[in-house]
Amino acid sequence: MGADPRFFPARGPHGLGAIAEAAGAQVGADDGRVLTGVAPLHLAGPQDLAFCEGRRHLAALRDSRAGAVLVGADARDAVPEGCAALVADAPQLAFARAAALFHPRPAAVAGIHPTAAIAPDATIGEGCEIGPFVVVGAGAEIGPGCILHAHAVVGPGCVLGAGSILRAHASLLHCLAGARVVLHEGARVGNEGFGFVTTKQGDHVTVPQVGRVILGDGVEIGANACVDRGAGGDTVLGPGTRLDNLVQVGHNVKTGRGCVIVAQVGIAGSSELGNYVVVAAQAGITGHITLGDGARVGAQAGVMNHVPAGIDVVGSPAWPARETLKAFAWLRRQVAPKGSDKTGGTA
Amino acid sequence: MGADPRFFPARGPHGLGAIAEAAGAQVGADDGRVLTGVAPLHLAGPQDLAFCEGRRHLAALRDSRAGAVLVGADARDAVPEGCAALVADAPQLAFARAAALFHPRPAAVAGIHPTAAIAPDATIGEGCEIGPFVVVGAGAEIGPGCILHAHAVVGPGCVLGAGSILRAHASLLHCLAGARVVLHEGARVGNEGFGFVTTKQGDHVTVPQVGRVILGDGVEIGANACVDRGAGGDTVLGPGTRLDNLVQVGHNVKTGRGCVIVAQVGIAGSSELGNYVVVAAQAGITGHITLGDGARVGAQAGVMNHVPAGIDVVGSPAWPARETLKAFAWLRRQVAPKGSDKTGGTA
Amino acid sequence: MGADPRFFPARGPHGLGAIAEAAGAQVGADDGRVLTGVAPLHLAGPQDLAFCEGRRHLAALRDSRAGAVLVGADARDAVPEGCAALVADAPQLAFARAAALFHPRPAAVAGIHPTAAIAPDATIGEGCEIGPFVVVGAGAEIGPGCILHAHAVVGPGCVLGAGSILRAHASLLHCLAGARVVLHEGARVGNEGFGFVTTKQGDHVTVPQVGRVILGDGVEIGANACVDRGAGGDTVLGPGTRLDNLVQVGHNVKTGRGCVIVAQVGIAGSSELGNYVVVAAQAGITGHITLGDGARVGAQAGVMNHVPAGIDVVGSPAWPARETLKAFAWLRRQVAPKGSDKTGGTA
């Protein structure tokens, strides 16, 4: 079963040749069949395209009723009879590209909803789609082909590059954003950071937060995630960086290109991530530290020190991954009943 | 002192008999007194109903000025003079039912605010209350007696069952929801999941997320919580499942009936929870694992493996609760000064 | 480089004397220079004021091109030639005050946007600024000089004190708030708490949540943070308490004056914090416990017991800080290769 057409009407149908071309894959034998949609292996029917990558999918592949499947060369023999094999080096990546043939990201439907409140001196680019109750502040510049969904707010002076999307209830303030930026539902960009100084009497005196947020091309911010603006100077997310839902980014944080910040992570003020850093869910990164290019942080880790490029850290406080796993295994042996080592954790 | 009538005007007054009947409790002696509201033991006055359950409440019971109290049979002797005792097996449950006599969930006040933006082909059931700046998309179906509070958004094609409530700023997209579903303020349902594939060059290519969210009858989603839609196939929350505030649910997660997911928990993509699973605050559950019926996860735990039915796990990485507590106690003894074992943690 | 004037037009210029007076600092030599803005040391130019506090800033001070710098007496010698030194006991606090000379918190621009939906019997104080699509419910009272930004919602019966600010998409319900309260973007105050009782059959029965939220003067609630109202009785945040983004506060929590609750912290129902308690990022505090005046909780800690006044706790479960650090160091030594003690964690 492909996608529910109420929500995701598919383009097509498409033949195996067109699909393989979009996917960068090789068709074994093209019997002229056409497909109408995409689906996971275990749900796919004879008109659906699926993919198989890794051992996790192998059992589902053997039982699949899919019309065609993107597979690596090594799994080709497991493709069931009647299912066309499309061979690709990276099947899931090939699937992402082929699926966009059926389900391209919806283009803007040009038009401004009559209820939108747009400042007279704001600039709205050609072909933008502006939904109900959207607010665009004074002097803001919205590039061509952007979509602002219901209730989205763009603050005064902001710049939003071409082809960007603000989903429902998102707010973009004090921000210069590149092209193809996406703020998901309720994302908050450009908020005042948590910046204050406490007097001897215990009163908190706000430090005026007069920096900006700079979002590179293709940055995506998850639902209800928060990115505070700089205190002075900027908070910067490099091109292609993606934040998942409910992530917190403090003032003056900087990331390089293509970082991946998974759900509920928090990054404290002024920390800097290199290129292609990955931070797994619920991890925390303290302020004023650096994570080198390609560093990876485990889920729920608490990073309190600099992490060199290419190093994996886990745990709270975070240690290099190898040491930490050793320590936990060792500790467990100290207290486990004799002979119980094979009971297998929580498995 | 009962509830502030500015916010919660009470129905009533009610006599002890009516209260006992609603609560499923037994009245000791009905002296004809009437009550006007409900309050906690330590705040209740002579016209208020309170309850006492467990040792925590016993001291407050002895000093209470409540007009009547729901108690277990074992605590009946501690009810002070002048306070009527209503005896119930489960006093807090009895209180929940009796309190609904004074404070029923507000019913919809039928009417559509003139500012609401409702698609011409959307269906609004009888008796719905639609607030200011609400948006209902094309083809959406809102069941009878629903309340959509200010700024709520229902996306195109969504189905919302009878008696459901969307509170202020909630968004419901790509979703089929049952009856009596509640989205609290700012809850985000049906967002695009964090689904992409990274090329060798480090570019992230989005996998079109073309699944739905299915919410069973009576599901509740907390304030600013997020439930992503399926990548392909559905994200499913079973009937009666409750999510607290700021919870994150990834794409294709499935829960059974009556699960309880406390604040700030994160559940990664494709994991499956059985019936009546309880996940305490701030815990994280990795992707592609299963938690059996009745499993319970401790606060801040990090669950990285399957958990069998009925098992409690704690810690990060999560272990069965008994082993973990032993390990921590043992570790502490290794480093604590001699004789300090009784200093009692942080107490 | 000072603040971007598109977002933060500065007042001024100001001479050194006026700046020193606002800052409570001493001018070394006033050569009549005037400054036009504020900036961090490493970005400041000849017309900007910066500050230097602590060793972290010393290198940047020596290289700074700032026109003037607020420094402690001990760092005065490090001020580079051409930069005016303003000496203060607490340089960052002095900077906060001087920066407000250039960038005072924007005052309300009196007026009500024509799209705002304000109940006929709500009271709007003098000089309020009410933005587009704001909703103010029946009987609500908004004090003078408040700013309600786009899409803010104030529920029926709420009271909001003078000079308060609700930023975009914030919601304030069932709440009595003092003066100068700030709700940042998407903050949710007065939500229904996670209060229910589960029957033997596994059904969750909601306990009517009929309490309020009381916010003291100067309370600030971060972006997308949540504060549930009391179940019965009130949730109370004392004067000057500040919550960072994405914090969760359960029903009937109470804090004293000036508490600091950093991003993504969760505080479960009915726990009570004294005055000036600090809870670092992502920590969790279980329900029904107390933290004494001045207690401090480390990042990601899990506090499961009472914490006496003035005590620091860290870890999950939380222990007094000193013991925990000892335990981790000891554990690491057990498993680290010989002689590797000096490799320095993740550094």
Side-chain angles (χ1 to χ4, degrees), chain C residues 263-318:
Chain C
Q264 298 176 315
V265 162
I267 306 179
S270 300
S271 281
E272 303 199 8
L273 281 60
N275 298 315
Y276 309 114
V277 171
V278 177
V279 185
Q282 297 187 330
I285 296 175
T286 195
H288 297 280
I289 66 171
T290 59
L291 282 71
D293 290 353
R296 297 190 304 178
V297 176
Q300 299 189 322
V303 186
M304 301 173 68
N305 290 100
H306 300 288
V307 179
I311 293 294
D312 293 357
V313 297
V314 302
S316 177

Side-chain angles (χ1 to χ4, degrees), chain B residues 55-77:
Chain B
R55 294 189 175 199
R56 179 189 291 156
H57 288 143
L58 269 185
L61 175 59
R62 292 200 177 89
D63 294 338
S64 182
R65 297 173 50 248
V69 63
L70 287 153
V71 286
D74 55 339
R76 190 178 188 166
D77 291 346

Side-chain angles (χ1 to χ4, degrees), chain A residues 33-330:
Chain A
R33 72 179 67 188
V34 295
L35 302 183
T36 59
V38 297
L41 272 175
H42 66 292
L43 297 177
Q47 299 208 296
D48 293 323
L49 173 70
F51 77 96
C52 170
E53 179 157 343
R55 295 188 174 199
R56 178 190 290 155
H57 289 142
L58 269 184
L61 175 60
R62 292 200 177 90
D63 295 338
S64 183
R65 297 173 50 247
V69 63
L70 288 153
V71 286
D74 57 339
R76 189 178 188 166
D77 291 346
V79 176
E81 200 171 352
C83 173
L86 305 175
V87 177
D89 289 343
Q92 191 181 8
L93 176 60
F95 178 80
R97 289 172 167 153
L101 200 63
F102 295 95
H103 299 285
R105 185 162 279 194
V109 178
I112 299 181
H113 196 277
T115 61
I118 300 182
D121 65 344
T123 308
I124 308 292
E126 271 196 48
C128 285
E129 176 180 349
I130 313 281
F133 313 121
V134 164
V135 177
V136 179
E141 301 173 27
I142 311 295
C146 289
I147 307 179
L148 308 188
H149 286 274
H151 296 105
V153 171
V154 177
C158 287
V159 176
L160 183 64
S164 292
I165 302 174
L166 267 56
R167 300 201 186 279
H169 298 106
S171 55
L172 184 86
L173 306 168
H174 317 101
C175 180
L176 307 181
R180 299 179 313 284
V181 162
V182 181
L183 268 62
H184 291 281
E185 288 79 7
R188 310 277 164 226
V189 171
N191 323 297
E192 185 175 304
F194 204 54
F196 54 86
V197 189
T198 303
T199 67
K200 285 179 190 167
Q201 292 72 38
D203 297 323
H204 308 307
V205 178
T206 297
V207 180
Q209 302 285 301
V210 295
R212 305 171 301 184
V213 175
I214 311 294
L215 301 179
D217 291 345
V219 164
E220 300 209 7
I221 312 288
N224 283 349
C226 297
V227 179
D228 289 341
R229 66 180 183 265
D234 298 319
T235 301
V236 180
L237 301 182
T241 288
R242 295 197 180 202
L243 274 54
D244 198 355
N245 300 343
L246 294 168
V247 163
Q248 155 68 2
V249 173
H251 46 196
N252 296 95
V253 164
K254 291 182 171 51
T255 81
R257 300 182 71 86
C259 292
V260 174
I261 315 295
V262 185
Q264 298 175 315
V265 162
I267 306 179
S270 300
S271 281
E272 303 200 6
L273 281 60
N275 297 315
Y276 307 113
V277 171
V278 177
V279 186
Q282 297 186 329
I285 295 175
T286 194
H288 297 279
I289 65 172
T290 59
L291 282 71
D293 289 353
R296 296 189 305 178
V297 176
Q300 299 188 322
V303 186
M304 300 173 69
N305 290 100
H306 300 289
V307 178
I311 293 294
D312 293 358
V313 297
V314 301
S316 177
W319 293 353
R322 201 183 302 188
E323 277 184 55
T324 300
L325 295 176
K326 261 173 73 178
F328 271 90
W330 177 88

Side-chain angles (χ1 to χ4, degrees), chain C:
Chain C
M1 188 191 72
D4 185 336
R6 279 177 291 186
F7 300 115
F8 306 99
R11 295 199 188 169
H14 299 286
L16 294 181
I19 293 170
E21 187 180 340
Q26 307 299 322
V27 190
D30 189 343
D31 58 3
R33 73 179 68 188
V34 296
L35 301 183
T36 60
V38 298
L41 270 176
H42 66 292
L43 296 177
Q47 300 208 296
D48 294 323
L49 173 71
F51 78 96
C52 170
E53 180 159 341
R55 294 190 173 197
R56 179 189 291 155
H57 289 142
L58 269 184
L61 175 60
R62 291 201 177 88
D63 294 339
S64 182
R65 297 173 49 247
V69 63
L70 287 153
V71 286
D74 56 339
R76 190 178 186 165
D77 292 346
V79 176
E81 200 171 353
C83 173
L86 304 175
V87 178
D89 289 342
Q92 193 182 5
L93 176 59
F95 178 79
R97 289 171 167 153
L101 200 64
F102 295 96
H103 299 286
R105 185 161 277 192
V109 177
I112 299 182
H113 196 277
T115 60
I118 300 181
D121 64 344
T123 308
I124 309 292
E126 270 196 49
C128 284
E129 175 179 349
I130 312 281
F133 312 121
V134 164
V135 177
V136 179
E141 300 173 27
I142 311 294
C146 289
I147 306 178
L148 308 188
H149 285 274
H151 295 106
V153 171
V154 177
C158 287
V159 176
L160 184 63
S164 292
I165 301 174
L166 267 56
R167 299 200 187 280
H169 297 107
S171 55
L172 184 86
L173 306 168
H174 317 101
C175 180
L176 307 181
R180 299 179 313 285
V181 162
V182 181
L183 268 62
H184 290 282
E185 288 78 8
R188 310 277 164 225
V189 171
N191 323 296
E192 184 175 306
F194 204 55
F196 54 85
V197 189
T198 303
T199 67
K200 285 179 189 167
Q201 291 73 38
D203 297 322
H204 307 308
V205 179
T206 297
V207 180
Q209 302 285 301
V210 296
R212 306 171 300 185
V213 175
I214 310 295
L215 301 179
D217 292 344
V219 164
E220 300 209 6
I221 312 287
N224 283 350
C226 297
V227 179
D228 289 342
R229 67 179 183 265
D234 299 320
T235 301
V236 181
L237 301 182
T241 288
R242 295 198 180 200
L243 274 54
D244 198 354
N245 300 343
L246 295 168
V247 163
Q248 155 69 3
V249 173
H251 46 196
N252 297 94
V253 164
K254 291 182 172 51
T255 81
R257 300 182 70 86
C259 292
V260 173
I261 314 294
V262 185
Q264 298 176 315
V265 162
I267 306 179
S270 300
S271 281
E272 303 199 8
L273 281 60
N275 298 315
Y276 309 114
V277 171
V278 177
V279 185
Q282 297 187 330
I285 296 175
T286 195
H288 297 280
I289 66 171
T290 59
L291 282 71
D293 290 353
R296 297 190 304 178
V297 176
Q300 299 189 322
V303 186
M304 301 173 68
N305 290 100
H306 300 288
V307 179
I311 293 294
D312 293 357
V313 297
V314 302
S316 177
W319 293 351
R322 201 183 303 189
E323 277 185 55
T324 301
L325 296 176
K326 261 173 73 178
F328 271 91
W330 177 87
L331 174 60
R332 193 173 177 209
R333 282 195 306 273
Q334 307 308 307
V335 296
K338 299 244 174 177
S340 73
D341 270 23
K342 293 176 182 169
T343 54
T346 60

Side-chain angles (χ1 to χ4, degrees), chain A residues 4 151 169 245 258 300 346, chain B residues 133 151 204 212 228 306 316:
Chain A
D4 185 335
H151 296 105
H169 298 106
N245 300 343
Q300 299 188 322
T346 61
Chain B
F133 312 121
H151 296 106
H204 307 308
R212 305 171 300 185
D228 289 341
H306 300 288
S316 176

